[in-house]
């Protein structure tokens, strides 16, 4: 029997650089209120959201991802040609094939990097980060670009009072590369498919192939609605508050640290009440900086963690070398948590 030569990569992996892109259009709650019966005070108290960014026609999924990626590559101090793999997490790239990652890899000027998309909703960044770590340590790529990018305004039902105010657009990216010491901890991840119906697309794409269009939802003017994201708010809230705090604690335990050892907490930016509840349950000390980027960015799904990370570093609220707990959770229901050293 032939012996397969073992792979050889770096001892460990780390995040080397981070970049973000937020669309130029800032959308206040007043715009959302044009379509739903609510109030600015209600939206702020329920979610913490004050404004969000919505992409314009030229700010495509690819364009936003390329902008964020260019910044991450520059921040890492490498050239695009050194990127060996591109992993894109998104649910708002509407072409089934090819993967948008291939276009991004080409336009960035990588040297024919491996490129693929993943669909893991709001946990997508954590999934991508875990894959990147594995590639660097295994040796299949020295540097991996992980991108979370969404145009959720394309999947928002502006007449849905439960979700119309939640979603925003944007892209966040990190470069993962070799390290001589552990800088990305073990990932605690999983799924609870029995709860899949709590966050879902309103109708599947193939419904539009059916001859009877009366089976499709319509807006207040009688026009057929484009598929959108809908959720059972209370069920998702309870799951996130009670179950995700446990996952976050498991990630701390897996990394061999305690809450006292943390400098930064970067949870998925889903709802400020969820964030505050997790902080309380985890008993995070006052010295821990907590990302609350949701206030001005909204829920950007897979992009929310890298966008929040980029902003904390840019504003000086977090610094290079800080120890951060990151956790994403959402549609699936899926989740992923790990401890990282900030670039």
């Amino acid at each position: 029997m032939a012996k397969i030569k073992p792979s050889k990569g770096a001892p460990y992996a780390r995040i080397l650089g981070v970049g973000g892109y937020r669309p130029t259009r800032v959308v206040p709650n007043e715009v959302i209120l044009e379509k739903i019966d609510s109030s600015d005070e209600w939206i702020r108290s329920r979610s913490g959201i004050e404004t969000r960014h919505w992409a314009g026609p030229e700010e495509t999924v690819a364009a936003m991802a390329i902008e964020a990626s260019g910044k991450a590559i520059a921040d890492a101090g490498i050239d695009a040609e050194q990127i060996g793999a591109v992993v894109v997490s998104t649910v708002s790239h509407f072409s089934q094939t090819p993967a948008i990652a291939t276009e991004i890899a080409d336009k960035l000027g990588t040297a024919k990097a491996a490129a693929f998309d993943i669909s893991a909703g709001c946990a997508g960044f954590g999934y991508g980060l875990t894959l990147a770590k594995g590639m660097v340590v295994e040796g299949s790529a020295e540097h991996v670009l992980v991108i979370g990018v969404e145009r959720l305004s394309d999947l928002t039902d502006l007449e849905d009072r439960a979700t119309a105010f939640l979603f925003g657009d944007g892209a966040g990216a990190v470069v993962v590369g070799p390290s001589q010491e552990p800088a990305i901890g073990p990932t605690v991840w999983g799924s609870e498919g029995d709860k899949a119906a709590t966050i879902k697309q309103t109708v599947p794409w193939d419904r539009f192939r059916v001859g009877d269009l009366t089976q499709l939802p319509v807006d207040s003017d009688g026009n057929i609605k484009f598929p959108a994201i809908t959720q059972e708010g209370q069920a998702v809230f309870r799951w996130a508050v009670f179950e995700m705090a446990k996952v976050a604690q498991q990630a701390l335990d897996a990394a061999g640290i305690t809450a006292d050892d943390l400098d930064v907490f970067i949870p998925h930016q889903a709802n400020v009440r969820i964030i505050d509840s997790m902080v309380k349950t985890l008993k995070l000390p006052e010295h821990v900086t907590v990302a609350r980027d949701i206030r001005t960015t909204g829920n950007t799904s897979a992009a929310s963690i890298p966008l929040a990370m980029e902003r904390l570093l840019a504003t000086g609220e977090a610094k290079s070398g800080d120890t951060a707990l990151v956790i994403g959770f959402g549609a699936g229901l899926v989740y992923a948590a790990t401890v990282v050293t900030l670039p």
Side-chain angles (χ1 to χ4, degrees):
M1 181 182 293
K3 291 185 178 180
I4 298 174
K5 182 179 178 180
S7 57
K8 184 178 181 181
Y12 307 102
R14 70 183 303 115
I15 299 175
L16 300 175
V18 61
Y21 179 81
R22 293 172 174 81
T24 56
R25 183 187 177 192
V26 177
V27 179
N29 288 336
E30 285 72 21
V31 171
I32 306 299
L33 296 174
E34 294 173 4
K35 295 281 189 177
I36 60 172
D37 180 18
S38 189
S39 68
D40 178 61
E41 189 279 330
W42 186 89
I43 293 174
R44 292 182 187 230
S45 65
R46 298 289 291 182
S47 68
I49 299 173
E50 302 167 10
T51 60
R52 76 284 291 145
H53 294 256
W54 282 356
E58 302 302 316
E59 292 169 313
T60 63
V61 167
M64 292 190 293
I66 289 167
E67 288 288 333
S69 298
K71 295 175 183 177
I73 292 169
D75 192 45
I78 65 170
D79 296 324
E81 291 183 352
Q82 294 175 261
I83 298 294
V86 177
V87 182
V88 177
S89 179
T90 184
V91 298
S92 47
H93 169 53
F94 294 151
S95 291
Q96 191 70 37
T97 191
I100 195 64
T102 58
E103 177 184 341
I104 294 167
D106 176 64
K107 290 186 175 179
L108 284 172
T110 68
K112 299 182 179 179
F116 58 95
D117 297 352
I118 59 174
S119 178
C122 304
F125 176 74
Y127 275 50
L129 187 65
T130 303
L131 294 173
K133 173 187 173 184
M135 283 186 266
V136 172
V137 173
E138 186 268 344
S140 59
E142 184 177 13
H143 297 94
V144 181
L145 179 64
V146 179
I147 305 165
V149 56
E150 302 290 5
R151 272 184 56 119
L152 293 182
S153 57
D154 291 335
L155 286 168
T156 299
D157 181 353
L158 293 178
E159 295 182 342
D160 181 357
R161 188 173 184 271
T163 61
F165 58 91
L166 287 176
F167 302 119
D169 303 335
V174 299
V175 173
V176 177
S179 175
Q180 293 302 308
E181 59 184 28
I184 301 175
T187 300
V188 177
W189 57 352
S191 66
E192 297 186 28
D194 60 316
K195 300 179 181 64
T198 56
I199 305 175
K200 63 181 181 180
Q201 187 170 304
T202 49
V203 294
W205 302 115
D206 62 0
R207 186 71 65 82
F208 286 85
R209 297 176 63 183
V210 179
D212 184 7
L213 298 182
T214 61
Q215 299 301 310
L216 294 171
V218 295
D219 62 21
S220 56
D221 296 322
N223 300 311
I224 294 174
K225 286 186 177 182
F226 191 72
I229 297 172
T230 185
Q231 69 174 23
E232 297 175 14
Q234 287 302 314
V236 174
F237 181 87
R238 288 193 299 270
W239 176 77
V241 167
F242 295 109
E243 298 302 322
M244 291 306 98
K246 298 176 186 176
V247 172
Q249 183 60 56
Q250 290 170 12
L252 290 176
D253 295 341
I257 67 172
T258 68
D260 290 335
D261 299 315
L262 281 179
D263 300 302
V264 185
F265 179 43
I266 311 177
H268 165 50
Q269 303 295 292
N271 183 305
V272 77
R273 292 190 301 151
I274 293 174
I275 294 171
D276 291 343
S277 294
M278 292 179 71
V279 168
K280 183 177 180 180
T281 302
L282 290 167
K283 299 179 181 178
L284 297 185
E286 289 189 6
H287 74 263
V288 176
T289 297
V290 179
R292 292 186 176 86
D293 192 45
I294 188 172
R295 296 189 187 281
T296 57
T297 305
N299 180 343
T300 55
S301 188
S304 77
I305 290 175
L307 276 174
M309 182 184 295
E310 184 265 349
R311 173 162 282 174
L312 290 176
L313 289 166
T315 60
E317 295 173 82
K319 62 183 185 300
S320 175
D322 278 353
T323 300
L325 168 63
V326 299
I327 179 170
F329 45 86
L333 293 171
V334 294
Y335 54 88
T338 188
V339 175
V340 303
T341 301
L342 295 183

